Amino acid sequence: MDLQGLCRLILVSALISFVCHPCSVTAGDIVHDDDLAPKKPGCENDFVLVKVQTWVNGIEDAEFVGVGARFGTTIVSKEKNANQRRLVLSDPRDCCSPPTNKLANDVIMVDRGHCKFTTKANNAQAAHASAVLIINNQTELYKMVCEPDETDLDIHIPTVMLPQDAGASLEKMLTSNLSVFVQLYSPKRPLVDIAEVFLWLMAVSTIVCASSWSAWSAREAAIEQDKLLKDALDEIPDTRHVGSGGILDINTTSAILFVVFASFFLVLLYKLMSYWFVELLVVLFCIGGVEGLQTCLVALLSRWFKRAGESYIKVPFFGAVSYLTLAVSPICITFSVVWAVYRNVSFAWIGQDILGIALIITVLQIVRVPNLKVGTVLLSCALLYDIFWVFGSKKLFHESVMIVVARGDKSGEDVIPMLLKIPRMFDLWGGYSIIGFGDILLPGLLIAFSLRYDWLANKSLGAGYFLWAMVAYGLGLLITYVALNLMDGHGQPALLYIVPFTLATFFTLGRKRGDLGVLWTRGEPDRPCPHIRLHHQHCDELNDEK
């Protein structure tokens, strides 16, 4: 593919990844406190997810997930404290009148409808049931609340709602004259899961690798520029674009427009989110992943296969392509296709992370922030974007647009592919810890700029800006996960913590060291002309152009 086409493709992929970055959201909130359903005495439980483990004829069988009611006793959190109870069908099925079944601390399964939830629970409690399973008439779960004028709330048994498909499975077991026992418990998530540690390391390492590559390329371009200037005798060449091929510098206008277009695309995703639309995003992700993986592998392997990397052949439509690229491309395409086909298997997250990291690194290599001013505008706009679409969008759409899109709630699939994820290893609920591309890509643009500046200014690690920018980013991301766990799994916009820490680091150190003016405007340190034969006027012109 020609360079212009590659850049365009990468930018489209970056746009999609930014739009879809969902802030650090874990799969499935455990606790949800709904202010629209106010609490009152006897009806003040938090909405919690409940595990319903079944045993059929003494053999452990399927496990279902329901949601606990606002009323009734709370459900135990530890499996060892949960008792196994026999499951029986209610007669009548809706339990709107006292059941005729003889119950002895059994769990009764009833259908939703025809009366209040609390009426069903009171009738079951009067019949000596130990718990109530209410089967919804839809595939999703429903929060069971109390009516504002209800007073009969002296309910001392737990009530759990299960989705329609779970009810159908349980009913089939019971009508087949099988002995069915159930166990109800609502395990708590660990405060910190090892998956979040690995995800943090993955995000930090990705930015470090991408920044190092970007800084190395900038330094090589500067060395090449100096070499040309030293060789100039009578004619002064124009070296402003030496080594800048394929590099796209963002300006202030494009930074603002980028967020505007991202918002438009996010709403488009929200409105059109469906199975086929997710499939389209998967295709786009695979294309971007192939380009990213190919770019990274070619750059890495060219150190050992220099001749293959520098020898080109003309390919129709794609233009001049190196032999090394031709050798690597089939591997990348095969890897991406295999991931797409098997992306729903348990270990597919590995392939998704590899493709995602390669894409992020490539974008950070090609797209650059030229100075602190542009970086500040970009991150500030992204922060406002993040806050509005996570929190503010609830006022307009009655739900968080960012969270809905990130989870793929309207698509029938778990999540869209533009994110990195790792399965939660010590969480009984399972699921994934995830981070959107934008939470790595956008801060990474500014952090990569800091390392380029440090290398061109010959600053040591401690005296530069890169190390402290990475510390600020890592701290902001760490606080995101702490806040995520303290808020029981509710989605958190990572940029809410990352952006203030990162920008504050640049402004504090820049002002203290006297570099803030250069960082804000030119973005590059002054470099002396490399040869005495060059005119002093030309040196001044070069520095002014920076």
Side-chain angles (χ1 to χ4, degrees):
M1 181 178 294
D2 66 333
L3 192 55
Q4 185 177 2
L6 173 60
C7 291
R8 187 176 296 118
L9 178 61
I10 292 297
L11 288 176
V12 170
S13 302
L15 173 63
I16 294 173
S17 66
F18 171 65
V19 168
C20 298
H21 77 83
C23 58
S24 303
V25 180
T26 53
D29 292 341
I30 297 292
V31 178
H32 185 59
D33 187 10
D34 191 349
D35 294 334
L36 299 178
K39 298 179 181 180
K40 61 181 179 178
C43 191
E44 52 190 356
N45 297 336
D46 289 330
F47 296 114
V48 295
L49 294 180
V50 180
K51 285 182 177 288
V52 180
Q53 179 63 57
T54 63
W55 280 264
V56 179
N57 292 337
I59 300 175
E60 187 172 351
D61 203 84
E63 180 183 86
F64 304 102
V65 176
V67 61
R70 183 71 102 189
F71 53 84
T73 57
T74 57
I75 298 170
V76 297
S77 59
K78 295 184 179 180
E79 183 179 6
K80 65 180 182 180
N81 296 331
N83 297 318
Q84 293 184 26
R85 300 294 184 185
R86 187 168 67 99
L87 181 67
V88 298
L89 275 173
S90 174
D91 184 16
R93 291 292 298 271
D94 58 14
C95 202
C96 290
S97 57
T100 60
N101 312 55
K102 290 185 178 180
L103 305 176
N105 259 356
D106 299 323
V107 176
I108 189 170
M109 188 171 81
V110 308
D111 292 338
R112 178 185 177 184
H114 305 117
C115 62
K116 299 176 181 178
F117 295 123
T118 52
T119 301
K120 299 175 187 290
N122 276 311
N123 287 334
Q125 179 175 265
H128 306 291
S130 62
V132 185
L133 294 182
I134 299 180
I135 306 304
N136 196 12
N137 52 17
Q138 300 176 12
T139 55
E140 59 268 4
L141 296 173
Y142 183 84
K143 297 173 186 175
M144 296 179 287
V145 299
C146 307
E147 298 293 337
D149 57 348
E150 283 193 79
T151 57
D152 192 10
L153 298 174
D154 189 23
I155 302 172
H156 301 290
I157 60 174
T159 303
V160 177
M161 175 168 283
L162 289 176
Q164 189 178 45
D165 53 350
S169 299
L170 290 173
E171 183 177 354
K172 184 177 180 181
M173 298 175 188
L174 293 171
T175 54
S176 300
N177 295 321
L178 300 175
S179 173
V180 181
F181 281 72
V182 294
Q183 184 183 38
L184 311 180
Y185 64 103
S186 179
K188 296 181 179 179
R189 278 205 162 123
L191 183 60
V192 177
D193 190 89
I194 191 66
E196 292 165 356
V197 177
F198 283 118
L199 199 63
W200 184 91
L201 291 172
M202 188 185 299
V204 170
S205 300
T206 299
I207 293 180
V208 170
C209 292
S211 299
S212 300
W213 186 8
S214 178
W216 178 84
S217 300
R219 186 166 63 178
E220 289 293 307
I223 293 174
E224 183 67 19
Q225 182 185 40
D226 290 347
K227 182 179 178 181
L228 289 176
L229 290 174
K230 286 180 180 180
D231 293 339
L233 294 175
D234 298 324
E235 183 180 355
I236 305 298
D238 183 5
T239 59
R240 287 174 292 181
H241 303 290
V242 173
S244 62
I247 302 301
L248 178 64
D249 283 338
I250 302 175
N251 56 36
T252 305
T253 303
S254 60
I256 297 174
L257 290 177
F258 186 65
V259 176
V260 173
F261 285 122
S263 298
F264 170 78
F265 194 75
L266 181 63
V267 174
L268 188 66
L269 282 177
Y270 175 74
K271 293 296 185 180
L272 299 180
M273 183 63 69
S274 60
Y275 175 79
W276 70 266
F277 203 83
V278 171
E279 294 298 309
L280 176 61
L281 292 180
V282 168
V283 172
L284 293 176
F285 172 74
C286 289
I287 295 174
V290 167
E291 292 289 350
L293 190 59
Q294 172 185 286
T295 302
C296 293
L297 287 178
V298 168
L300 183 64
L301 295 176
S302 61
R303 293 180 172 271
W304 291 279
F305 303 96
K306 190 172 182 180
R307 179 173 296 181
E310 295 177 349
S311 301
Y312 292 86
I313 184 174
K314 208 163 189 179
V315 179
F317 180 74
F318 293 99
V321 179
S322 69
Y323 286 101
L324 185 57
T325 301
L326 287 178
V328 168
S329 294
I331 300 174
C332 299
I333 294 173
T334 302
F335 184 88
S336 183
V337 170
V338 170
W339 172 82
V341 173
Y342 296 100
R343 68 181 185 278
N344 292 321
V345 301
S346 59
F347 53 84
W349 61 272
I350 300 175
Q352 180 173 327
D353 288 350
I354 292 174
L355 292 173
I357 290 173
L359 177 57
I360 292 172
I361 291 176
T362 303
V363 171
L364 290 176
Q365 164 63 15
I366 294 176
V367 182
R368 293 184 179 180
V369 167
N371 52 49
L372 182 58
K373 177 182 178 181
V374 174
T376 301
V377 172
L378 179 63
L379 288 185
S380 298
C381 290
L383 176 59
L384 295 176
Y385 166 93
D386 227 11
I387 292 175
F388 176 79
W389 291 111
V390 173
F391 300 116
S393 59
K394 294 179 182 179
K395 300 293 184 181
L396 297 177
F397 300 92
H398 307 293
E399 58 185 349
S400 174
V401 173
M402 183 78 80
I403 302 300
V404 170
V405 171
R407 291 178 176 169
D409 291 351
K410 298 182 179 182
S411 65
E413 297 195 7
D414 289 338
V415 286
I416 55 178
M418 284 74 177
L419 47 83
L420 304 182
K421 64 180 185 178
I422 297 179
R424 296 176 65 85
M425 302 175 188
F426 299 108
D427 190 343
L428 293 177
W429 287 102
Y432 294 88
S433 290
I434 65 178
I435 183 171
F437 285 2
D439 295 331
I440 303 174
L441 188 76
L442 294 174
L445 288 170
L446 187 59
I447 295 173
F449 157 75
S450 69
L451 187 57
R452 291 195 302 271
Y453 182 89
D454 289 349
W455 282 18
L456 291 176
N458 294 320
K459 289 182 177 289
S460 63
L461 191 61
Y465 293 91
F466 172 74
L467 174 63
W468 306 112
M470 282 303 310
V471 170
Y473 174 81
L475 183 60
L477 188 57
L478 179 63
I479 293 176
T480 300
Y481 286 115
V482 172
L484 179 70
N485 287 296
L486 290 178
M487 296 184 69
D488 297 308
H490 291 299
Q492 290 292 297
L495 295 183
L496 180 63
Y497 308 97
I498 293 173
V499 170
F501 276 94
T502 306
L503 290 182
T505 299
F506 274 95
F507 282 101
T508 301
L509 291 179
R511 187 170 184 177
K512 183 179 179 180
R513 297 170 178 175
D515 297 333
L516 188 57
V518 177
L519 289 169
W520 183 260
T521 54
R522 296 211 312 268
E524 288 186 14
D526 290 333
R527 291 189 300 118
C529 287
H531 200 278
I532 192 171
R533 287 176 296 180
L534 293 177
H535 301 292
H536 291 291
Q537 181 180 359
H538 182 63
C539 292
D540 295 335
E541 290 174 356
L542 288 175
N543 286 327
D544 289 340
E545 288 171 352
K546 295 175 185 176

